[in-house]
Every structure is written in structure tokens, then in C-alpha cells.
Amino acid sequence: MRREAIILAGGSGTRAGGEMPKQFVELLGIPMLWWSVRAFHAYDPSTAITIVMHPGFFDLWDILYARLPETDRRIPVRLVCGGRDRSHSVENGLMGIENLQDALVAVHDAARPLLSRDLVARCWEIAGQKGSAVPCCPEVNSLRRVSDGGTVPMDRDGILVVQTPQVFRGDWLEDAYRRRQSDAAFTDDASLVQAAGYPVTVCDGDPANIKVTTPVDFTIATALMQAVFKH
Ligand code: CTP
Ligand code: MG
């Protein structure tokens, strides 16, 4: 099966603040979104890579792209326009891919720049066998749920935190998006695929694969990068 990776960089990064959306901020001199491009390409250079971003940032991206090392600029990538929310961005990414029935599709948040080659390998491999692969980690915090103006403790046992990349057979993902009710709220693709009746296979995530969400996460991501990637 062909490998198609969709890197979602179409958000506005409101919680992270800053002058430009978080996915464009350079970490160790490389724009955040490009770390994910590198991870997919390093595992399999034949992977077709689509980056989804808002057209309003195409000019900024031209400037950042021109500053990338030449070896990086040799990696072929396709740019697609972002949608009004995450799921519409995924849909736009899917629309640019032909013959989805012959492909495995990885959907990955550009906000997770600490994507390792091992995690990429695991997700492709398991999705190749089972049709889907959704990386998850056990919750480590104690949990409380807000309820009736107070809070009640929640059992942490069996709670999994979901990451990306989430990999699916292209025909499953295409069908799930085709049948989606546009007003239904799904925060990830696994929920949508499962609601369409396809099996979702969970695999081991990576605790280092954090999502940069708030300002402190830039510091954490940079520290992890220095320790993990040693570029
Ligand atoms: N995303 C996207 N298109 C959108 C919204 C989000 O491609 N219309 C992407 C983001 O760029 C990010 C990923 O989805 O890589 C996960 O979303 P999140 O972490 O919530 O990022 P933002 O929506 O940009 O941040 P915020 O919610 O704080 O505004
Ligand atoms: Mg968001």
C-alpha cells in the first residue's frame, strides 16, 4: 500500500499565543511543522506528504521554507488549504489524494513536532495489518470531573490519552468523512472512523510525543528535542 501523510498545520494556535501560529515557530532553527515532515520522510522517503495550512500563511511559509537546509527542500511536499476546523482541514487534505483505496493515510498534528521514527514505524506497521493504528498512552495524572458546581474524583484506571499520527486504510477514512454529519463534533479521526463502523486499533504512543498547546510547551518541546534528536 502507498503511504500518504497529512500534516495538519491549519490552526490558529490561540492557546499558545505569540505573533504567528505555533506550527510556524522555529524549534532548534526548524519550523515546528517541518519536524513532522522530516519524521515521515526519514522512515520512508517514498511517503507522499501533504501539509494543510491557511492560504493567509502561504507567504510566511515561502519565507520559512526558503530558509530550510537544501536537503530538506528536496523533500517533495504538497500544500493544501486549511479548513474552518480540524476535521475540515483533514477533509481538504484527503481531497487532494487520489486512489485512497490503495493507500494508508496518516493524519498528524503539526503541533506534535517530537514525532519519532519508531512511532511512525509502529503506526504504519500496525495499520498495515489491522487497517488502523491509533497511538495512546496511559493517563498518569489523577483526574476529577466537574459536576454540579463541584468536582468528583474519576478513576484513572483504563483511561488512555490519544495522540497522532493516526493511520487508517484510505478507503475507511474516505468513507468515514463522506458519511460524517457536518455538525457532529469529533476531536479526532479515530472517533469518526469508529462511528462509521470500522475497527480502531490502539497501539503504544510515545510520552515524548507531546502536543504543543500552551506557551510552556515550547520550552518543554525544545528541551525534549535537544535530548531526543541531538541534531
Ligand atoms: N488544525 C488544522 N486546521 C484547523 C484547526 C486545527 O489543521 N482549522 C491543526 C492545528 O494546526 C494543530 C492540530 O490541528 O496542528 C491540533 O489542533 P490544536 O492543537 O487545537 O491547534 P490550534 O487549533 O491551532 O490551537 P488552539 O486550539 O489553541 O487555537
Ligand atoms: Mg484547536
Side-chain angles (χ1 to χ4, degrees), residues 131-195:
S132 66
V134 176
C136 294
C137 291
E139 174 59 65
V140 293
N141 294 293
S142 293
L143 302 174
R144 299 184 75 84
R145 183 196 294 281
V146 178
S147 158
D148 293 332
T151 62
V152 290
M154 263 179 76
D155 190 0
R156 173 176 68 202
D157 215 33
I159 299 289
L160 299 177
V161 178
V162 184
Q163 302 185 333
T164 69
Q166 300 186 357
V167 182
F168 307 94
R169 280 176 46 163
D171 52 350
W172 292 5
L173 197 56
E174 184 178 37
D175 185 50
Y177 271 90
R178 196 186 311 126
R179 289 161 51 182
R180 163 176 86 128
Q181 316 281 343
S182 58
D183 52 342
F186 291 99
T187 60
D188 72 350
D189 304 286
S191 321
L192 192 70
V193 165
Q194 190 157 16

Side-chain angles (χ1 to χ4, degrees), residues 112-116 137 163 205-211 220-221 224 228:
R112 293 188 188 269
L114 281 134
L115 176 57
S116 69
C137 291
Q163 302 185 333
D206 174 2
N209 179 32
I210 63 161
K211 180 155 78 75
I220 298 170
L224 282 168
V228 175

Side-chain angles (χ1 to χ4, degrees), residues 59-80:
D59 288 346
L60 170 66
W61 179 242
D62 279 348
I63 295 167
L64 296 174
Y65 181 84
R67 293 213 292 251
L68 288 172
E70 204 205 317
T71 45
D72 286 285
R73 282 183 279 119
R74 280 200 222 111
I75 303 174
V77 292
R78 181 198 294 136
L79 271 195
V80 164

Side-chain angles (χ1 to χ4, degrees), residues 7-17 21-23 32-33 52-54 82-90 108-112 164 187 211-214:
I7 295 172
L8 295 174
S12 49
T14 315
R15 286 168 291 177
K22 58 191 178 186
Q23 60 271 26
M32 187 186 298
L33 72 89
V52 186
M53 75 174 64
H54 273 294
R84 68 172 180 274
D85 59 25
R86 187 185 181 282
S87 65
H88 286 94
S89 288
V90 177
H108 182 63
D109 291 338
R112 293 188 188 269
T164 69
T187 60
K211 180 155 78 75
V212 175
T213 306
T214 61

